[in-house]
Amino acid sequence: MIEVSSLTSASRSLAWSAFTDPNHVVNWNFAGDDWCCPSCRNDLRVGGTLSSRMEARDGSFGFDFESTYTQVVEGSLLALTMADGRRWEVEFSDEDGRTRVTERFDPEGENPHDMQRMGWQMILDRFAAYASSL
């Protein structure tokens, strides 16, 4: 598994909301300014689906990202299975008055692990900055 984490000044409940509410997700769920997340749907329950769309702002490329929840512990843990069968989990924990969000995921086989780690870290850092701004 690959692990990335980031700290946000947002409370754990606010960080949870920013991570799971589609109205928030569309504001941070992309790695760079040349990308966007035009849509997100989230059925936050075991067996429910998280689905988001990532696109290049110039319209040259885009893809859908879909996962199914296997575990939901309100404010603490999300465990999901991605559409291709890989596992992904998100943990929320308190750290010195801030919230640490840690993601662990099975890598895909097409891109180097360092590239995958960097992309997921960039998205998580964007999340942390967004949540801190709320």
Side-chain angles (χ1 to χ4, degrees):
M1 287 198 120
I2 295 175
E3 181 176 306
V4 296
S5 87
S6 197
L7 276 170
T8 178
S9 62
S11 67
R12 194 189 307 191
S13 64
L14 184 56
W16 176 269
S17 178
F19 201 93
T20 59
D21 182 335
N23 294 315
H24 288 300
V25 173
V26 296
N27 292 297
W28 59 262
N29 191 29
F30 43 94
D33 291 337
D34 53 342
W35 283 82
C36 64
C37 179
S39 65
C40 178
R41 292 184 321 277
N42 194 12
D43 183 6
L44 186 59
R45 63 180 175 84
V46 172
T49 300
L50 168 64
S51 178
S52 61
R53 175 86 182 156
M54 291 187 195
E55 294 181 354
R57 289 193 188 271
D58 67 6
S60 63
F61 184 76
F63 62 93
D64 295 313
F65 185 82
E66 189 169 295
S67 300
T68 302
Y69 289 102
T70 58
Q71 186 177 10
V72 176
V73 180
E74 181 80 26
S76 296
L77 179 70
L78 301 168
L80 306 99
T81 300
M82 294 180 239
D84 62 5
R86 294 180 296 133
R87 295 169 299 150
W88 169 33
E89 63 182 41
V90 187
E91 182 181 358
F92 298 78
S93 58
D94 297 322
E95 186 174 312
D96 299 323
R98 297 179 290 175
T99 302
R100 177 165 297 280
V101 179
T102 303
E103 292 185 284
R104 295 174 193 90
F105 62 95
D106 292 333
E108 42 90 350
E110 292 182 31
N111 295 295
H113 290 190
D114 285 346
M115 177 187 272
Q116 293 177 63
R117 179 180 292 108
M118 183 177 66
W120 283 62
Q121 185 68 60
M122 289 171 69
I123 294 169
L124 190 57
D125 289 346
R126 185 175 288 272
F127 158 79
Y130 174 79
S132 294
S133 75
L134 296 175

